[in-house]
Amino acid sequence: MPRPPATSRALLASALSVTALLATASCSLQDEPRPRWFSAPATDTSASPAGERPPGSGAGLTQAQAQAALVTEADLGEPWVPTRGAKTWRDGLLKARTEDPECQRLLDSLYTEELFGAPAGPGATTALDAAGTDAQLRYQIAAHPPADVDRALAWLKSLPDRCGQFAATTTRGHVQGVQVSDMPLPPVGDARQALRVTMAGETEDGKLTYLTVDVAAVRVGAEAITVTHAGLDEVYEEVTQQAVRLGAERLTEIRKQGRAAV
């Protein structure tokens, strides 16, 4: 069910009131990298052969374990299915510019779906579509230094205060009103943080657009889970929370099994 137009117009009005601040935000974004998962529903984010750990990775997950720890369409049930590719709103709305460096970093992270940089060991990714809607969910597990993950989680936590409301300009020059708020997560893993980001604006023909993006991250030992759930229709935070809970519990159990096998 679409968001009410009044909400969209309120955010759009907020964006238009600061359009003058965006005179330098119209630079080209054509050379920016695209998200890595566009061409495949499930991918290996490690260069190590399946079942092997990279040198010096200690008792981290193997590639096979990372793949087994993924949340799939079977876990979420209908209407979720393997993705058929990126939706048009990714380039049309998420690929945008703003003046504040921290808010720009948030936009870039939402577009590339990489909160923690290059992984330090085996990882796996899956992307799902909600059939009959334009919603997508991307679920990633990857090994990262815990200190790096915790710093990134602290940065996410700071964003509702730093970037609570701002304006961003898309590649086509449309101003989007952006709102960032905290989103609760189940008490799973060693550390966690989630945000709900909404972007409201208009197309060339005056049609209102309203994009909702949930981004959630959880650290479980030396592995990090990242969930991005977004769409132009209703995006239910319960789905994001369910994916986080199921995934963190599964990853915790697989890590225990791995230690027992050592």
Side-chain angles (χ1 to χ4, degrees):
M1 180 177 64
R3 291 280 187 172
T7 306
S8 299
R9 293 190 182 278
L11 273 178
L12 177 59
S14 176
L16 293 175
S17 69
V18 293
T19 303
L21 298 177
L22 299 171
T24 61
S26 59
C27 57
S28 173
L29 304 178
Q30 300 305 315
D31 295 331
E32 290 189 359
R34 295 174 69 82
R36 298 176 181 176
W37 62 271
F38 270 20
S39 60
T43 57
D44 172 8
T45 60
S46 168
S48 301
E52 295 185 7
R53 299 184 176 94
S57 64
L61 297 183
T62 65
Q63 172 57 38
Q65 288 173 324
Q67 198 73 29
L70 289 173
V71 167
T72 70
E73 67 274 16
D75 298 304
L76 298 181
E78 295 183 350
W80 295 98
V81 296
T83 189
R84 291 188 174 184
K87 300 296 185 180
T88 56
W89 49 254
R90 298 197 59 82
D91 281 354
L93 298 177
L94 282 183
K95 203 172 184 181
R97 284 291 187 190
T98 192
E99 286 199 334
D100 188 287
E102 295 306 309
C103 303
Q104 184 63 55
R105 179 184 170 190
L106 170 62
L107 291 176
D108 292 343
S109 297
L110 293 178
Y111 180 70
T112 62
E113 297 184 313
E114 294 180 0
L115 292 176
F116 308 117
T125 301
T126 190
L128 306 173
D129 293 343
T133 77
D134 65 359
Q136 292 190 316
L137 185 146
R138 189 225 191 199
Y139 188 96
Q140 176 182 350
I141 295 173
H144 295 277
D148 291 351
V149 174
D150 289 346
R151 278 192 293 270
L153 294 178
W155 170 70
L156 287 175
K157 186 176 182 178
S158 73
L159 291 178
D161 290 332
R162 178 65 182 267
C163 302
Q165 287 191 336
F166 64 96
T169 303
T170 69
T171 55
R172 295 184 177 181
H174 300 149
V175 177
Q176 297 286 311
V178 185
Q179 182 171 316
V180 182
S181 58
D182 185 73
M183 190 179 79
L185 287 179
V188 293
D190 300 309
R192 69 207 66 83
Q193 182 61 45
L195 299 175
R196 168 157 285 203
V197 180
T198 54
M199 303 179 70
E202 291 183 354
T203 62
E204 294 95 333
D205 57 4
K207 182 180 178 181
L208 289 174
T209 60
Y210 193 99
L211 176 68
T212 302
V213 185
D214 288 349
V215 56
V218 179
R219 181 173 64 80
V220 181
E223 279 76 38
I225 295 169
T226 307
V227 178
T228 306
H229 176 206
L232 293 171
D233 296 320
E234 190 73 30
V235 172
Y236 296 100
E237 67 178 31
E238 292 84 0
V239 173
T240 310
Q241 293 163 342
Q242 179 187 18
V244 167
R245 179 181 61 80
L246 290 172
E249 291 174 352
R250 181 169 298 166
L251 178 56
T252 299
E253 184 60 31
I254 288 176
R255 283 176 54 83
K256 288 179 181 178
Q257 294 172 2
R259 286 196 296 269
V262 173

